Amino acid sequence: MQNGFFLNQLDYIFFINGLSNFLVGMMFFNLRSKQTKLPWIFITFGFITLALKEWTQVISFSFAEKKLFYFIQVFLVFIAGISIIEFCRRSWNIYCKRKIRIWIYLVIILPSLMGIKFGIIGVGVIFGYGISTALFIFVPVIFWNEAKRSEKNIRKTLYSASVVIFLILLTNIIIPKVSFFPASVINHETFFKITGIPVQVVRATLMIVFSFLIWNYYSFIWLKTIEINHKHKFYIFKGKYLVFLLLIIVTTGWVFSELSGKKAINERNKEMLINTKIAASALKPEQINKLKGDLSDLKNKIYIEMKGYLITVRNSYPGCRWFYLLAMKQNKVIFLMDTEPQGSQDNSPPGQIYTEVSDILRSVFIKPAEYSGGPMPDRWGIWYSSVIPIINKSSGKVIAVLGVDVDARDFLKNIHLVRLMPITITFLIIQILIGFFIINQKSYLSRMNLIEFEKRYRTLFDSSSDASLLIDINSNTIVEANKKAEELLKLSEADLLKSNIFDILSDGNKEENINMFKNYLSSNSNTAIEMELIRSDNVIIPVEIKANKINLNGKEYVLGIFRDITGRKKNEEKLKLAKE
C-alpha cells in the first residue's frame, strides 16, 4: 500500500526534513557577511532550531512519552518562530518605509494563550497558526524584494524560492488534530485520508527544492564576493559534488533503515497473527452461527459471553486497541461485536455496517486467508491489523472474521527504534562530511586569499620606485629582490639571492650598521632609519630604510624598502657649507 509505505517512512522523512532545514540554515549563516543587507543570523538560528525540532520528532517515534517530546517541539518551534519573525521584521524595515515594531510579537504570542485550556498541544497549535500567518505574509515578500534588487542571472532562483517558501508555509496550516476549528478539520489525519500521503512528505520535498535554490543563491553571492577566476569558480561549485554525496549517503541510510524496519515489521506481524490465532481458536463456529448480527444479539447469552472473552483477551494483549468480530450480510461487512463497552462513542453495535472496510479485509470473506499488516485508516484512526477467517467446517465457508487492531503509532514505535540506529549512523556520517567540506572550503579560501595577497604583494614589490628586498628573518639571507635593488647595488638578482643582508652594509661602520638594523627590527618602529650600503664597485650609498615583518606561506620575513638619499645628502652638505 502506497500510504502504508509513506507512513512507515515518517521517521526518515522527518530526518530528511531536518537535514534540509539544517543545510539551509548553514547557507544562511555563511551569507551573513556577504554582499547582502539582510540579517541572516536570525533566520539561520530559526532554521537550525527547526532542524532540531524535526530530529526530536524522529526520536519521539521510538518512545511512549509523547507529551514530553511534544513540549520540547513546541518550545523549539517557539524559538524558531521568534527568530524567523525577527529576521522578517528587520528585513521588512530595510525594504519598506512603514516600519514594523516589536509589538508584532504580542499579536502572535498573546492569542496562543487561548489554547491553554486545550493543554500544551492547544498552545502549540494556536502559536503555530500565528507564526505561519506572519511568515506566510512576510517571507515570500522579502525574498521577492531581494530578487528584484539582485542581478538578472539570480532573480529566477529567488523568485522560485519565494514561491516554494510560500508553499512550505501553506503546508504549515495542516497540523496535528485538536478538538477546535480549524485543526479539527484541517489536520494530518484528514490530509492523509484524502491524499494517501502524509503532509510531512510534501513539506520535506518542498524543503529539498528550497535548499537547492538557496544553495544556488548562496554560490552566486559567494562568487560575487570573492571575485575569483573561473578555475576557482569550478572549485566552489564542487559543492554540487557534496550534494551528490549527500544523496548517496541519505539513500544508503534509507535502504539500511528500510531493511531493518521491514525485518522488524515482519516479526511484529507474525507475533500479531499468532496472538489472533490463539484468540480465534476458542471461538466456536456453531456458536457464531447463532448470532443474528442485529441489536437483538445484545441480550443473547452467547454474544455476552463471547464479548467478555474478547475483552479479557484484549486486556492481556499489550498494545492492542480493538478485538472485533465481523460477518458478511447481503454483501456488506457488518460488526457482530467489538470490545468497546456498551454506550461508548467508539462502540460498534451488532449489525453496524463497516463502511471503511478495506479490499484486503473484504477479500478474506471471499477467499479465506490469514492476513497481518497495514496501515489501514478508518473513522477511528490508522491501524495495523491482523485478521483470521473463522470457517464452518461442514460447508467450508467463512462465517466470520476475527480482527485485531493495534494503533499504527504503537505498532511502529518498536519499528522506529530499530530504524533509529541506521538513521543515527547516517546522521553522523553526514555531519562528518559537512564538517570536512566546511573545513576544506575555508582552507581553500584561505589559500586563495593568500594567493591574491601574494599577487598584490608581487605587483607592489616589482613596481616599487625604491629598492625592495625580502629577507629571511632567521638566516638574514635575501630571498627576493626587485629591479630597483639590482640597479642600486649593481648586482644581478642571482648574486643578490646569494647574499646576506649584512653583506651589503658599508664596511666603514659595518658593526654599527648591523646593530642598528637589528635594533630597528626588534623595535617594530614605523619610522625610517638612515644607513649606508656598499655597491658592487665599492661605492658607498646612503639610504633611508623602512622595514616591516610580513608572513608568507606561514613563514616570517622582513620586507625592506631602501631609498637612495645620495642626492639629499649632497644637498644637505651644500647647505651646510653655505651656512659656514
Side-chain angles (χ1 to χ4, degrees), residues 253-267 414-415 417-423:
W254 171 76
V255 169
F256 277 102
S257 66
E258 179 68 1
L259 292 174
S260 302
K262 277 188 175 180
K263 182 180 178 182
I265 286 174
N266 290 335
E267 290 174 357
N414 293 330
I415 312 303
L417 188 60
V418 172
R419 289 167 57 94
L420 190 59
M421 180 57 72
I423 290 175

Side-chain angles (χ1 to χ4, degrees), residues 251-462:
T251 303
T252 304
W254 171 76
V255 169
F256 277 102
S257 66
E258 179 68 1
L259 292 174
S260 302
K262 277 188 175 180
K263 182 180 178 182
I265 286 174
N266 290 335
E267 290 174 357
R268 187 74 195 277
N269 281 329
K270 285 178 183 178
E271 180 188 344
M272 282 182 62
L273 201 58
I274 290 170
N275 289 331
T276 310
K277 280 182 180 180
I278 293 171
S281 64
L283 300 177
K284 298 178 181 179
E286 56 272 18
Q287 289 184 323
I288 295 173
N289 278 328
K290 293 178 182 179
L291 299 174
K292 296 180 179 180
D294 56 34
L295 294 177
S296 64
D297 283 339
L298 295 174
K299 298 180 181 179
N300 188 320
K301 184 179 178 182
I302 294 174
Y303 172 88
I304 295 170
E305 289 178 354
M306 200 173 290
K307 179 164 182 166
Y309 164 72
L310 291 180
I311 291 173
T312 302
V313 174
R314 184 201 65 182
N315 293 339
S316 63
Y317 187 174
C320 174
R321 180 65 181 87
W322 314 96
F323 263 86
Y324 49 88
L325 201 59
L326 303 173
M328 183 171 280
K329 195 174 183 180
Q330 297 176 352
N331 207 34
K332 293 180 180 179
V333 177
I334 64 168
F335 284 94
L336 292 178
M337 66 183 67
D338 67 8
T339 50
E340 280 297 292
Q342 200 68 32
S344 166
Q345 63 177 5
D346 292 327
N347 173 249
S348 296
Q352 178 180 305
I353 298 172
Y354 189 12
T355 54
E356 300 100 332
V357 63
S358 65
D359 293 337
I360 293 174
L361 187 52
R362 183 181 289 274
S363 68
V364 175
F365 285 95
I366 300 167
K367 189 177 180 180
E370 302 167 348
Y371 172 78
S372 185
M376 296 183 180
D378 60 21
R379 78 191 78 168
W380 294 281
I382 302 172
W383 315 97
Y384 272 79
S385 304
S386 179
V387 293
I388 298 290
I390 298 174
I391 302 171
N392 188 320
K393 292 181 180 179
S394 58
S395 64
K397 292 183 178 181
V398 177
I399 59 171
V401 170
L402 177 65
V404 177
D405 283 352
V406 174
D407 190 299
R409 289 168 295 187
D410 293 330
F411 180 91
L412 292 172
K413 183 178 66 177
N414 293 330
I415 312 303
H416 288 307
L417 188 60
V418 172
R419 289 167 57 94
L420 190 59
M421 180 57 72
I423 290 175
T424 303
I425 293 172
T426 304
F427 172 77
L428 293 174
I429 293 173
I430 288 173
Q431 292 305 308
I432 292 170
L433 180 63
I434 292 173
F436 176 78
F437 177 78
I438 291 172
I439 293 170
N440 189 41
Q441 192 178 51
K442 287 186 175 180
S443 174
Y444 179 80
L445 283 178
S446 296
R447 294 198 304 273
M448 291 303 103
N449 289 334
L450 184 58
I451 290 171
E452 293 298 312
F453 170 76
E454 289 179 348
K455 282 181 180 178
R456 289 193 295 270
Y457 154 76
R458 171 57 63 186
T459 302
L460 292 171
F461 187 81
D462 291 338

Side-chain angles (χ1 to χ4, degrees), residues 223-266:
L223 287 170
K224 186 180 176 184
T225 302
I226 56 181
E227 297 177 347
I228 54 182
N229 61 38
H230 293 292
K231 181 181 177 182
H232 300 157
K233 180 177 179 180
F234 174 77
Y235 183 89
I236 285 177
F237 277 95
K238 281 185 179 179
K240 292 183 178 179
Y241 296 121
L242 171 67
V243 174
F244 180 69
L245 283 173
L246 286 176
L247 287 174
I248 292 176
I249 293 168
V250 167
T251 303
T252 304
W254 171 76
V255 169
F256 277 102
S257 66
E258 179 68 1
L259 292 174
S260 302
K262 277 188 175 180
K263 182 180 178 182
I265 286 174
N266 290 335

